[in-house]
């Protein structure tokens, strides 16, 4: 079993280059099935979710070629399948973007119910509502979601909740529907705008992405395009929180500072100092970490995907911080693991109360999910002694080259392989 061993005590110092945004990449890669022709996508993050999506495309009959580490050429002209089977869909959420994209391309899609991080129930009713409104029939048989349509027609859809997944999935189908689709109460995350820009570069006609209303005029044909994915807001925020937690001084490069505002605002309130350039931020802390309250909300609110990392950072703050989760029903599974390291956190429903402590102490913990795993790395970097993190498969789904990046910043972190149940000698 693979683990990370993180030994705390070194403030992070130096420069880290941020990779392409995971949640944009996992929408843009399935979107390539809408093109007749080659797409060349740059700034692809080196993460296992991307590897899996490229494998799904290959198994469907697409030609996929890496050009170096960060660029991929995808040609879906000769796709032969419109099915994503259980073994490929079960481990990731974004596999369901093939429903919208394949409906758009060929009016037919069969995709196994998606996996991904477990935050309690993750319904897909809004996706189905959108597809059905456009004229598709959708049924779920033995875990397989089957969607088909004679013709997709443009319609007016009001989403009952603000959802990233349904906004993306319905956009993917609507670009090829007949007529005008108006989507209201949509998600506004930077990766929604990035996907819209990519689709427009392929010949789609989408306006309003990044606002509450998206208008899409369906087109008959979409062609290949060259595109570069936006930087990962959450990867950048994670290194910023690690810098602040360890009392370090880190410059995060290759970012869009505007996307970081909801995060920088809370880090400043907690006592961080931040300098800004065109595509970088310098984050450092000299004084004591201060208590703050954080409430997660859809963009432009504080992102839920930074919630566990903030909690890890605030374990060391002076006073009691309160985190309210405003997006997911159950995103505090990682709290038990932080408490194993000596944190003092209690959870009541969607609220976590964090009493700051003087020190954390290294212990064996597990990554309960992707961002919960990132929280373990941050806590491990501030803890006394070594923290061994199990189930790192979750972390590697979404953080590229994390050991190399943390080590380059002076953190003590290794990836090891040990038989199940055994602990490394470091503990
Ligand atoms: N929801 C519904 N019905 C639906 C869809 C969603 O009720 O049909 C609810 C969910 O239960 C949740 C809320 O709406 O309470 C928001 O869910 P959303 O659809 O926005 O989430 P998602 O698309 O499944 C994406 C990211 C998550 C991130 C959320 C919120 C991807 C692949 N995943 O999930 O990212 O937490 O948006 O921003 O883009 C992560 O990167 O760690 C991660 C979990």
């Amino acid at each position: 079993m693979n683990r990370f061993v993180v030994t705390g005590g070194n403030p992070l110092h130096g420069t880290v280059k941020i990779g392409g945004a995971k949640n944009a990449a996992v929408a843009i890669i399935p979107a390539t099935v809408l093109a007749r022709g080659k797409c060349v996508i740059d700034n692809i993050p080196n993460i296992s979710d991307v590897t899996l999506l490229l494998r799904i495309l290959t198994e469907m009959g697409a030609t996929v070629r890496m050009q170096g580490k960060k660029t991929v050429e995808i040609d879906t002209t000769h796709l032969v399948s419109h099915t994503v089977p259980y073994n490929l869909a079960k481990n990731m959420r974004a596999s369901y973007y093939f429903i919208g994209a394949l409906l758009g391309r060929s009016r037919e899609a069969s995709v196994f119910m998606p996996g991904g991080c477990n935050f309690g129930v993750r319904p897909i009713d809004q996706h189905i509502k959108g597809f059905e409104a456009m004229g598709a029939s959708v049924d779920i048989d033995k875990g397989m979601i089957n969607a088909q349509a004679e013709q997709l027609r443009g319609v007016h859809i009001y989403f009952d909740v603000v959802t990233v997944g349904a906004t993306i999935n319905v956009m993917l189908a609507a670009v090829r529907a007949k007529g005008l689709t108006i989507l209201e109460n949509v998600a506004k995350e930077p990766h929604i705008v990035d996907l819209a820009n990519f689709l427009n570069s392929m010949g789609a006609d989408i306006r309003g992405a990044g606002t509450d209303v998206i208008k899409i005029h369906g087109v008959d044909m979409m062609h290949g395009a060259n595109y570069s994915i936006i930087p990962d807001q959450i990867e950048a925020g994670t290194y910023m929180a690690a810098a602040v937690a360890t009392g370090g001084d880190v410059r995060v490069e290759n970012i869009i500072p505007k996307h970081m505002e909801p995060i920088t605002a809370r880090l400043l309130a907690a006592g961080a100092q931040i300098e800004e350039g065109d595509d970088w931020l310098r984050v450092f802390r000299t004084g004591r970490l201060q208590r703050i309250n954080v409430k997660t909300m859809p963009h432009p609110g504080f992102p839920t995907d930074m919630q566990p990392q903030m909690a890890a950072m605030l374990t060391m703050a002076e006073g009691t911080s309160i985190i309210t989760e405003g997006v997911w029903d159950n995103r505090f599974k990682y709290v038990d693991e932080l408490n194993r390291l000596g944190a003092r956190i209690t959870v009541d429903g969607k609220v976590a109360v964090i009493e700051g402590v003087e020190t954390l102490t290294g212990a064996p913990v597990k990554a309960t999910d992707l961002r919960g795993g990132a929280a373990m790395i941050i806590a491990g970097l501030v803890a006394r002694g070594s923290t061994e993190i199990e189930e790192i498969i979750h972390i590697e789904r979404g953080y590229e080259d994390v050991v190399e990046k943390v080590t380059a910043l002076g953190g003590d972190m290794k990836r090891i392989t040990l038989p199940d149940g055994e602990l490394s000698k470091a503990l």
Side-chain angles (χ1 to χ4, degrees), residues 22-23 26 93-94 96-97 117 119 121-127 161-166 168 189 191 304-305 327-329 331 370-371:
K22 163 186 165 279
N23 288 344
V26 300
R93 199 79 202 146
Y96 65 8
Y97 292 147
C117 294
F119 310 137
V121 187
R122 292 184 75 171
I124 56 164
D125 57 298
Q126 298 301 305
H127 304 234
V161 287
V162 177
T163 140
V164 170
I168 288 177
E189 270 65 6
H191 36 284
T304 172
D305 295 343
V327 176
W328 295 108
D329 283 342
R331 200 172 190 168
L370 168 59
R371 310 301 173 187

Side-chain angles (χ1 to χ4, degrees), residues 115-122 330-333 368-369 394 397:
C117 294
N118 179 359
F119 310 137
V121 187
R122 292 184 75 171
N330 188 357
R331 200 172 190 168
F332 287 121
K333 289 203 173 121
T368 51
D369 57 76
H394 294 295
R397 281 186 39 225

Side-chain angles (χ1 to χ4, degrees), residues 137-148:
S137 65
V138 183
D139 73 74
I140 301 176
D141 182 29
K142 299 193 188 80
M144 191 65 112
I145 308 163
N146 301 303
Q148 52 190 343

